[in-house]
Amino acid sequence: GDSVTQMEGPVTLSEEAFLTINCTYTATGYPSLFWYVQYPGEGLQLLLKATKADDKGSNKGFEATYRKETTSFHLEKGSVQVSDSAVYFCALTSGTYKYIFGTGTRLKVLA
Amino acid sequence: EAGVTQFPSHSVIEKGQTVTLRCDPISGHDNLYWYRRVMGKEIKFLLHFVKESKQDESGMPNNRFLAERTGGTYSTLKVQPAELEDSGVYFCASSLAAGRNEQFFGPGTRLTVL
């Protein structure tokens, strides 16, 4: 079945450091890919998405490119801030209503 | 526009007790979903409503879990009797339509079964 694998955390970075959170997937067909973020005490929020190969999703300085050849959707940000501290979830949907999530990666950014 | 709301935010109960979680979707969203994250693992799909009808409950763990959506508005998820392994965070989401449409998530209910 479909699945998402993302790097285990926690990831601890200093402010202004470069961030990469790896995400790879297994899916039949052509899934849509998402990154969701959960800030402390809040719900899951859509951070960015990509619906077809080579699409780049971007939001709030975060980017991820849908790479069909490597079945990946890695999340990157050039300069993280303390306010980016949160749990990040990679997810996919293969045209159905079910989201398949990864295990989540906790990011802690130190001032 | 109000987002998806869930109640309570936290619940601590003892094994064998009953707990009912509530979800209020975004107004006008016919599709409502329940997910669960257990012990820091991945968030897993539980079930999907379209209005008041269950479209898919393939992710429900067992018959101790009962979800309802009377009138097609808010939904409840009852766990009876609760077991230790039911502890986790229960998320509700809603969307205008199913398929590749974005699902909007609530803050979750953290359930602890002692």
Side-chain angles (χ1 to χ4, degrees):
Chain A
D2 295 353
S3 66
V4 173
T5 302
Q6 62 181 106
M7 62 189 290
E8 290 191 21
V11 174
T12 302
L13 296 173
S14 298
E15 207 165 25
E16 299 183 4
F18 185 87
L19 168 71
T20 299
I21 301 178
N22 290 337
C23 171
T24 57
Y25 66 90
T26 302
T28 54
Y30 302 93
S32 293
L33 302 174
F34 306 84
W35 277 100
Y36 276 83
V37 58
Q38 186 180 22
Y39 298 104
E42 299 184 16
L44 291 169
Q45 300 174 23
L46 178 65
L47 182 59
L48 54 84
K49 67 178 181 181
T51 57
K52 62 183 188 296
D54 300 325
D55 269 2
K56 178 186 284 189
S58 61
N59 186 24
K60 299 182 181 180
F62 291 88
E63 293 183 339
T65 301
Y66 188 140
R67 300 286 189 201
K68 187 169 182 293
E69 64 276 13
T70 54
T71 61
S72 65
F73 193 55
H74 304 322
L75 182 68
E76 296 182 336
K77 186 175 186 183
S79 176
V80 293
Q81 305 300 311
V82 172
S83 57
D84 294 326
S85 298
V87 182
Y88 293 81
F89 293 91
C90 185
L92 68 80
T93 178
S94 289
T96 69
Y97 41 81
K98 295 180 187 178
Y99 276 27
I100 308 295
F101 285 91
T103 54
T105 303
R106 181 176 297 278
L107 170 66
K108 185 174 182 180
V109 181
L110 304 176
Chain B
E1 178 183 281
V4 176
T5 58
Q6 294 186 244
F7 182 83
S9 55
H10 294 86
S11 180
V12 180
I13 61 172
E14 294 191 351
K15 176 182 172 181
Q17 290 186 320
T18 297
V19 63
T20 300
L21 314 181
R22 173 171 170 145
C23 168
D24 286 78
I26 292 173
S27 178
H29 282 194
D30 287 340
N31 292 268
L32 187 149
Y33 316 81
W34 284 97
Y35 292 83
R36 179 174 74 167
R37 187 184 191 209
V38 173
M39 300 228 6
K41 296 187 177 180
E42 67 271 26
I43 300 169
K44 285 193 173 180
F45 169 84
L46 296 179
L47 84 159
H48 170 217
F49 283 100
V50 177
K51 297 185 179 178
E52 66 275 9
S53 299
K54 291 177 189 174
Q55 293 298 297
D56 181 353
E57 50 185 333
S58 61
M60 295 286 263
N62 50 61
N63 59 10
R64 294 185 293 103
F65 289 74
L66 175 64
E68 294 180 321
R69 193 182 181 196
T70 306
T73 54
Y74 70 91
S75 174
T76 58
L77 179 64
K78 180 190 288 187
V79 185
Q80 179 182 30
E83 299 289 344
L84 299 179
E85 63 265 24
D86 301 332
S87 296
V89 180
Y90 290 77
F91 291 100
C92 177
S94 70
S95 68
L96 270 173
R100 294 174 182 264
N101 290 277
E102 177 185 351
Q103 295 180 16
F104 296 84
F105 283 79
T109 293
R110 180 174 295 278
L111 173 65
T112 302
V113 182
L114 303 176

